């Protein structure tokens, strides 16, 4: 790149660079800085899928403060990789507690795991206080030689 283009580039975007297509601030010491959510109003959606199979790598209380959904889908059935993550489920409680209103939220786990069962039992009172309902599935889908639990969502 010619020097004058490089100079213009750094002046138009001082202190920031692209890493894997994501703007980063090299002055920041926060390892999550490249994934931080920009300041702004919350986003309201009907249904949100918790990223990365509910792994704690990319989801924190800020996600739940900003992405306000009527329904959150929690997938993940890999305890060895921390999926689903107890920290993410706790982050839902923390984030929802800061909404300022008591709208109902439904959590839809796609798998019955020990992590979700323990979290449900240990935080049930807080869930009721925050108007969070955990949807348990009693339905099963059968396809040829395979069957799996399923949930039906109606809007």
């Amino acid at each position: 790149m010619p020097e004058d283009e490089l100079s213009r580039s750094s002046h138009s975007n001082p202190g920031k660079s692209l890493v894997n297509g994501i703007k980063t601030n090299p002055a920041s010491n926060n390892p999550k800085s490249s994934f931080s959510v920009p300041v702004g109003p919350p986003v309201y959606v009907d249904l949100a899928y918790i990223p990365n199979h509910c792994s704690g790598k990319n989801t924190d209380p800020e996600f739940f403060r900003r992405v306000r959904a009527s329904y959150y889908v929690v997938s993940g059935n890999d305890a060895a990789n921390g999926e689903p993550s107890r920290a993410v489920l706790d982050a839902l409680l923390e984030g929802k507690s800061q909404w300022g209103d008591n709208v109902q939220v439904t959590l839809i786990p796609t798998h019955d795991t020990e992590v979700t069962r323990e979290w449900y039992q240990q935080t049930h009172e807080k869930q009721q206080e925050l108007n969070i309902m955990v949807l348990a599935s009693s339905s099963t889908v059968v396809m040829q030689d395979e069957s799996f639990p399923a949930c039906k969502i109606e809007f």
Side-chain angles (χ1 to χ4, degrees):
M1 180 182 292
E3 189 174 345
D4 60 333
E5 283 184 39
L6 182 59
S7 176
R8 262 195 320 255
S9 171
S10 63
H11 282 45
S12 64
N13 196 7
K16 297 196 183 231
S17 61
L18 289 179
V19 176
N20 294 331
I22 299 170
K23 288 184 181 178
T24 62
N25 185 345
S28 173
N29 292 328
N30 182 355
K32 284 190 167 185
S33 67
S34 62
F35 297 107
S36 64
V37 179
V39 176
V43 176
Y44 295 88
V45 296
D46 290 328
L47 178 71
Y49 176 85
I50 298 177
N52 203 21
H53 303 289
C54 197
S55 166
K57 296 173 188 170
N58 299 55
T59 308
D60 59 8
E62 185 63 21
F63 173 83
F64 294 105
R65 281 194 280 281
R66 297 289 308 281
V67 179
R68 298 182 181 187
S70 299
Y71 299 86
Y72 290 101
V73 176
V74 176
S75 72
N77 193 20
D78 187 357
N81 284 320
E83 300 169 1
S85 166
R86 170 68 188 250
V88 173
L89 298 171
D90 289 339
L92 167 63
L93 298 175
E94 184 181 334
K96 172 79 165 66
S97 70
Q98 297 180 23
W99 286 14
D101 55 26
N102 201 19
V103 298
Q104 182 174 335
V105 166
T106 303
L107 189 67
I108 305 167
T110 60
H111 294 86
D112 181 21
T113 67
E114 187 174 330
V115 170
T116 54
R117 271 184 270 127
E118 284 180 6
W119 176 82
Y120 176 81
Q121 292 170 349
Q122 294 170 359
T123 64
H124 187 69
E125 190 173 300
K126 183 73 171 174
Q127 294 166 42
Q128 288 181 318
E129 177 186 315
L130 294 172
N131 203 12
I132 297 173
M133 179 176 75
V134 178
L135 187 63
S137 173
S138 60
S139 301
T140 303
V141 173
V142 178
M143 296 177 62
Q144 295 175 353
D145 297 333
E146 183 181 6
S147 66
F148 49 90
C151 295
K152 179 180 179 185
I153 305 170
E154 294 184 18
F155 294 93

